[in-house]
């Protein structure tokens, strides 16, 4: 022990064969030894076997059973580190009693219901597991904060999913979230604003590039048209040609303009069905962009129809 009462730190040295230090030692768990495969020297003894101490004879069980239970669930109260009582010789009384006690936990019941709702919406939107996990944690934070008490669970879960998609760079529009939800766009928007303000969540503003690849893929448009439509939408925002217009109407008009200049023409209805905007909305944004259409196209875009010859709606 050194001066001042502090203890010397322990040093763990890797066991090596003195004759062959680079050899990878073989562990013999039955004998509890570590043996050098080159010379056969027993380098270490009393090796602890970390495997199971029982044998598995069932063909259905697969690998060795584990005694640690399921992984902890950060969504549940107490992280779901509980013991489940199974039936013993057909007696279900203890398991039933535990089930009734677990049902009394209102917090876990609400969280499980919300998780089921989030998973259902995510499946219909084909969202990956990472977005679902982020949405679950965000809902738990909102649930524990209690400053949105009185708001519907469906509206909160929809708003949390909208935020999680933005944060994971897989943005979805309000209409897309509303299409798989049971609440109106207005209610989702209100909860979205409350969560952003009260929980101080960072959500970047939506841009054309967040949606363009997915929308163009649904419309079977190639990457050249996609890049042109993205450039048109970005230049429209920079030049402030469509003040007060939502980003989806600008995206739809940009896709329509790029498609009309290419050999793959798309109608306003086809684009509107994918983007989720009305035909008249596309026409209104297109007319605002039309006067400066020559400035919107990228120089590398090979136009089949010149910007001067684009239709004037």
């Amino acid at each position: 022990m050194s001066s001042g009462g502090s203890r010397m730190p322990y040093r763990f040295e890797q066991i090596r064969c003195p004759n062959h230090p680079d050899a990878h030692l073989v562990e013999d768990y039955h004998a509890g030894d570590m043996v050098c495969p080159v010379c056969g020297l027993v380098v270490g003894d009393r090796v602890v076997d970390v495997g199971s101490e029982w044998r598995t004879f069932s063909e259905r069980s697969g690998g060795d059973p584990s005694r640690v239970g399921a992984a902890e669930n950060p969504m549940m109260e107490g992280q779901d580190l509980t013991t489940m009582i199974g039936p013993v010789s057909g007696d279900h009384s203890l398991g039933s009693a535990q089930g009734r006690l677990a049902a009394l936990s209102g917090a876990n019941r609400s969280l499980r219901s919300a998780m089921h709702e989030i998973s259902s919406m995510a499946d219909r939107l084909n969202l990956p597991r990472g977005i679902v996990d982020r949405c679950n944690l965000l809902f738990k934070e909102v649930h524990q904060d209690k400053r949105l008490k009185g708001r519907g669970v469906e509206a909160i879960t929809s708003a949390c999913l909208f935020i999680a998609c933005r944060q994971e760079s897989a943005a979805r529009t309000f209409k897309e979230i509303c299409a798989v939800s049971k609440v109106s766009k207005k209610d989702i928007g209100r909860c979205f604003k409350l969560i952003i303000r009260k929980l101080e969540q960072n959500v970047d503003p939506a841009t054309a590039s967040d949606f363009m690849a997915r929308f163009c893929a649904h419309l079977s448009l190639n990457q050249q048209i996609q890049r042109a439509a993205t450039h048109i939408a970005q230049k429209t925002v920079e030049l402030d040609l469509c003040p007060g217009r939502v980003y989806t109407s600008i995206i739809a008009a940009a896709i329509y303009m790029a498609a009309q200049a290419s050999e793959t023409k798309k109608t306003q209805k086809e684009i509107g069905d994918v983007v989720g905007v009305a035909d008249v909305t596309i026409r209104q944004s297109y007319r605002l962009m039309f006067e400066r259409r020559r400035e919107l196209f990228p120089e590398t875009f090979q136009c089949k129809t010149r910007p001067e010859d684009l239709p004037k709606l």
Side-chain angles (χ1 to χ4, degrees):
M1 184 176 295
S2 62
S3 61
S6 61
R7 295 183 178 180
M8 295 292 293
Y10 291 105
R11 292 185 179 179
F12 297 94
E13 297 182 358
Q14 185 178 0
I15 301 176
R16 293 185 177 89
C17 176
N19 301 322
H20 307 90
D22 296 330
H24 182 71
L25 301 180
V26 177
E27 300 177 356
D28 184 359
Y29 287 116
H30 293 285
D33 298 333
M34 296 187 70
V35 185
C36 175
V38 180
C39 62
L41 177 66
V42 177
V43 181
D45 56 2
R46 297 185 180 181
V47 177
V48 178
D49 186 0
V50 297
S52 60
E53 71 273 16
W54 59 84
R55 297 176 63 187
T56 303
F57 297 97
S58 174
E59 296 179 356
R60 296 178 298 175
S61 61
D64 288 340
S66 176
R67 291 181 173 178
V68 299
E72 65 179 79
N73 188 351
M75 270 290 294
M76 297 293 104
E77 295 295 330
Q79 298 186 344
D80 208 25
L81 297 178
T82 56
T83 302
M84 301 301 296
I85 301 175
V88 179
S89 300
D91 183 9
H92 298 266
S93 58
L94 289 177
S96 301
Q98 185 187 40
R100 288 192 296 270
L101 290 174
L104 296 178
S105 175
N108 278 350
R109 186 166 61 250
S110 299
L111 289 174
R112 288 187 186 277
S113 176
M115 287 176 62
H116 177 75
E117 183 69 23
I118 291 170
S119 179
S120 177
M121 290 190 294
D123 288 341
R124 281 177 279 175
L125 290 172
N126 296 320
L127 298 176
R129 184 65 196 177
I131 295 179
V132 176
D133 292 339
R134 179 180 282 270
C135 184
N136 287 338
L137 292 175
L138 179 59
F139 178 85
K140 182 180 180 182
E141 186 177 353
V142 174
H143 183 74
Q144 291 177 338
D145 188 76
K146 298 186 183 300
R147 281 188 284 183
L148 269 71
K149 193 173 183 180
R151 300 284 177 177
V153 175
E154 294 83 2
I156 297 176
T157 54
S158 301
C160 289
L161 187 61
F162 180 81
I163 295 172
C165 289
R166 286 279 187 90
Q167 293 176 338
E168 291 291 326
S169 302
R172 295 295 188 270
T173 64
F174 273 116
K175 285 191 175 181
E176 288 179 297
I177 299 294
C178 188
V180 298
S181 178
K182 301 176 183 178
V183 294
S184 65
K185 177 183 175 182
K186 187 176 181 180
D187 292 336
I188 298 175
R190 285 175 177 173
C191 288
F192 166 74
K193 292 178 181 178
L194 288 173
I195 293 172
I196 294 298
R197 185 172 69 252
K198 295 185 177 182
L199 297 185
E200 299 180 355
Q201 291 291 320
N202 294 324
V203 179
D204 296 329
T207 61
S209 57
D210 295 333
F211 304 92
M212 197 65 74
R214 183 161 51 87
F215 289 157
C216 289
H218 287 315
L219 290 166
S220 300
L221 299 175
N222 58 37
Q223 290 189 356
Q224 184 185 15
I225 300 176
Q226 174 191 325
R227 288 193 292 268
T230 302
H231 188 273
I232 292 172
Q234 291 174 345
K235 290 293 291 184
T236 300
V237 174
E238 291 176 8
L239 299 174
D240 197 21
L241 301 181
C242 299
R245 296 281 174 177
V246 295
Y247 56 87
T248 50
S249 63
I250 297 175
I251 291 172
I255 294 175
Y256 180 75
M257 183 175 288
Q260 290 299 315
S262 69
E263 59 184 4
T264 309
K265 304 291 191 293
K266 294 295 178 181
T267 64
Q268 299 168 31
K269 187 179 187 310
E270 289 177 310
I271 297 173
D273 290 341
V274 171
V275 180
V277 297
D279 299 357
V280 63
T281 304
I282 298 177
R283 288 195 294 271
Q284 290 172 351
S285 299
Y286 179 85
R287 288 166 185 163
L288 295 173
M289 300 159 55
F290 186 78
E291 296 300 326
R292 302 183 67 173
R293 59 192 180 278
R294 297 181 185 87
E295 305 175 40
L296 302 181
F297 282 90
E299 298 178 357
T300 57
F301 183 66
Q302 298 178 357
C303 298
K304 297 297 180 182
T305 302
R306 297 184 305 169
E308 296 81 2
D309 300 329
L310 289 176
K312 185 176 182 180
L313 301 179

